[in-house]
Amino acid sequence: SAVDMTHQYHSGLNAIQMLTDHPSVRATNYSDSFLRAYCIVRYHIVLHLDGSVGPLNPEFAPNDLHDIIGYRLPVAAYHLLARGAIHPPILNMLVNGSWLEFSPPDNGESREYHRLITQWEGGVYTQQCRLLCKHLGPFFAQRKVVLQTWFEPRTEVVLHDTKSVSQGVSLPAVGAAAVLNGDISVSSVMENSRILAAAPEGSSDSNPAAKLLTWVLQSLGFIVSSGEHTKLGSALNAGLQALQSQLQERPTELLQWAVVAAAVLIDQGLLTGEKWSVSYDDELSLITDAQQQKFIRIVARIATLTPPGARRGSWKFGYNRDLLAFSSAARLVQKAVGSSADTARLVGAITGSAALAPESTQLLQLQELRRTMPLECTTSNATGVLAYVLLVDYARNGAGCWARIQTAAEESLVDARQALRDAWGVAGAVRAIAKVHGNADKDIANAYSWAQTAFSEVL
């Protein structure tokens, strides 16, 4: 066995060297794989006590270590990673030269999901690569970065290479942050984007969080450099205002980012009442009214966008493959949004827009950036299924639907009523987005009106 051989030759390396001429070892190039793994473990990158970043056991590290663990990044990148301010994938993309898109939990079989990756996600990552590579030095300025997917493994979508045009890709100039009154959020920046863009940068009230959040919204196509809203940005702004009006309180950052995801999905033609190319919603066959089937899909999919609630005990409602497929698309959007936030934080740290020295004021700025642009905005299949069950019961049995499912709902979620209230707030925002957008599914407004009676029992 491997253990016996290790004991016999005193180390795994010695055992591999003794077997170098074995046919199976030679055919699989196992010696090279073993030595690469050995170096990754022995010389992996660590944050030393003096604050420097480098390999473990540096005095013994080989000169070509970069061929195994990748090229060195700016120190700020490692500091942000160590403080939990950015996710590893954005750094892996730069080091490996590729962004790998794997199949989601529902297998990602639909044409709609594939289209979202090729037609939208690739463009977002291209913006990120151009901004990052511009500020990471000469090597990364010419770095080739590609997008690869599981459904077309032999096709590479080039995100950045030597031909990429990085001119003009930079963080926006933002001043007059006092107009935000300390509210550095998506809704506040969208509402005041023109004022922020018109004011000179470097004023005493400039705010790095507002600057980086503005770039994220620009990279997603909601505002332009002059601060003007795009058509999609006007729709998002209307949705955020409707969300606050419907909740009658300031919405949380997670709910605001849920509305951002909804705007993208509407713009990509995915938030509709139609079945996808691969459909699983067999339970709706019990409802004979085709229009009501569309309404249920729309509202349940909207509910899936809300932040997840805490589970309580056993789940009483099973699961829904159609909502699982939609939530995979929503997670893809939220992952790309989170990656844009990581990009903004990293470039802000490198360029000095968000200093990382250990002074208390600068640490507070970093914490503000994390609060304003969450690292991860997850969807809630539980809330989506709960809304689905509520509306199916309403379609089949009429009023009193909440009373009929309330016990099971409260045994499944810690605060099922609040989850549905949040979902209804996002539904109001989606209706406002669809009205301004123009090309959205016309059934969204009708679905909202139809479901209002059912949700009024919860509200």
Side-chain angles (χ1 to χ4, degrees):
S1 67
V3 174
D4 294 334
M5 292 184 63
T6 303
H7 282 303
Q8 180 180 352
Y9 297 107
H10 306 293
S11 74
L13 179 58
N14 290 340
I16 294 300
Q17 289 176 333
M18 292 299 296
L19 295 173
T20 302
D21 294 329
H22 192 280
S24 62
V25 174
R26 188 185 305 166
T28 59
N29 200 20
Y30 184 76
S31 300
D32 183 71
S33 300
F34 176 86
L35 290 173
R36 284 177 176 272
Y38 175 83
C39 288
I40 289 173
V41 173
R42 184 169 175 78
Y43 307 115
H44 66 272
I45 298 299
V46 295
L47 182 63
H48 295 284
L49 293 177
D50 62 357
S52 63
V53 177
L56 193 65
N57 305 309
E59 62 275 17
F60 304 111
N63 294 329
D64 58 352
L65 187 61
H66 59 273
D67 288 336
I68 300 173
I69 62 175
Y71 292 90
R72 187 179 183 87
L73 294 166
V75 173
Y78 300 108
H79 279 242
L80 285 171
L81 185 63
R83 294 180 179 183
I86 60 174
H87 272 146
I90 190 69
L91 301 181
N92 289 337
M93 176 175 67
L94 296 172
V95 171
N96 298 328
S98 62
W99 182 280
L100 303 179
E101 198 61 63
F102 299 100
S103 61
D106 70 296
N107 297 326
E109 300 167 326
S110 65
R111 292 191 300 272
E112 291 82 357
Y113 190 82
H114 296 176
R115 188 176 71 245
L116 182 64
I117 293 175
T118 56
Q119 297 185 7
W120 180 81
E121 185 189 40
V124 174
Y125 287 136
T126 297
Q127 291 291 321
Q128 296 172 19
C129 286
R130 288 183 176 180
L131 181 64
L132 282 169
C133 293
K134 179 181 178 181
H135 292 91
L136 291 178
F139 171 78
F140 286 101
Q142 301 182 38
R143 179 73 158 151
K144 182 179 180 180
V145 183
V146 299
L147 169 67
Q148 293 180 291
T149 63
W150 83 97
F151 57 89
E152 291 183 351
R154 298 184 180 180
T155 301
E156 293 183 348
V157 178
V158 177
L159 304 178
H160 186 273
D161 59 11
T162 55
K163 300 178 182 178
S164 297
V165 179
S166 298
Q167 186 177 3
V169 181
S170 59
L171 292 176
V174 172
V179 73
L180 303 176
N181 295 320
D183 179 17
I184 312 297
S185 63
V186 177
S187 58
S188 182
V189 169
M190 287 296 299
E191 185 177 350
N192 298 282
S193 61
R194 297 175 182 84
I195 299 175
L196 292 172
E201 187 182 19
S203 57
S204 59
D205 64 346
S206 62
N207 187 294
K211 180 175 185 174
L212 303 187
L213 181 54
T214 299
W215 181 84
V216 171
L217 294 171
Q218 283 185 10
S219 70
L220 297 173
F222 293 112
I223 54 180
V224 296
S225 58
S226 63
E228 295 293 327
H229 292 169
T230 62
K231 181 179 180 181
L232 181 60
S234 298
L236 173 63
N237 193 45
L240 292 168
Q241 292 176 0
L243 176 67
Q244 181 160 346
S245 176
Q246 186 140 325
L247 295 178
Q248 297 183 348
E249 61 182 6
R250 182 186 180 279
T252 65
E253 280 76 16
L254 288 178
L255 278 178
Q256 293 181 44
W257 284 109
V259 175
V260 171
V264 172
L265 291 167
I266 287 175
D267 190 55
Q268 295 300 310
L270 299 183
L271 184 44
T272 69
E274 301 296 332
K275 291 183 179 181
W276 281 15
S277 56
V278 179
S279 181
Y280 307 100
D281 54 355
D282 295 332
E283 293 182 30
L284 288 184
S285 60
L286 300 174
I287 299 172
T288 56
D289 191 324
Q291 200 67 14
Q292 288 185 0
Q293 291 181 6
K294 292 183 179 181
F295 294 162
I296 293 172
R297 286 194 200 99
I298 290 173
V299 178
R301 287 171 177 175
I302 292 172
T304 304
L305 297 172
T306 59
R311 292 284 187 90
R312 177 195 307 223
S314 59
W315 180 247
K316 306 292 184 181
F317 300 109
Y319 79 106
N320 186 296
R321 284 286 301 273
D322 180 73
L323 293 180
L324 182 63
F326 179 80
S327 69
S328 293
R331 285 193 181 97
L332 184 78
V333 170
Q334 292 173 336
K335 181 180 65 175
V337 171
S339 183
S340 290
D342 285 338
T343 299
R345 278 186 282 259
L346 180 54
V347 173
I350 294 171
T351 60
S353 301
L356 294 178
E359 286 81 2
S360 59
T361 55
Q362 291 165 341
L363 286 175
L364 287 175
Q365 287 180 352
L366 179 61
Q367 293 170 358
E368 177 70 8
L369 292 176
R370 292 183 62 186
R371 184 194 66 79
T372 303
M373 297 183 288
L375 287 173
E376 187 173 0
C377 305
T378 56
T379 59
S380 176
N381 283 326
T383 306
V385 171
L386 190 57
Y388 180 89
V389 171
L390 178 75
L391 294 176
V392 168
D393 187 285
Y394 173 65
R396 298 183 65 189
N397 304 311
C401 51
W402 172 244
R404 289 189 288 270
I405 72 165
Q406 181 176 4
T407 301
E410 293 177 347
E411 289 176 355
S412 299
L413 287 179
V414 171
D415 198 341
R417 188 185 291 268
Q418 183 60 48
L420 289 174
R421 286 172 178 168
D422 288 344
W424 190 243
V426 176
V430 169
R431 180 183 62 164
I433 292 172
K435 182 178 180 180
V436 176
H437 187 275
N439 293 329
D441 189 339
K442 305 302 181 184
D443 284 326
I444 289 178
N446 296 329
Y448 182 90
S449 300
W450 175 80
Q452 195 160 13
T453 301
F455 273 84
S456 64
E457 299 178 13
V458 182
L459 305 176

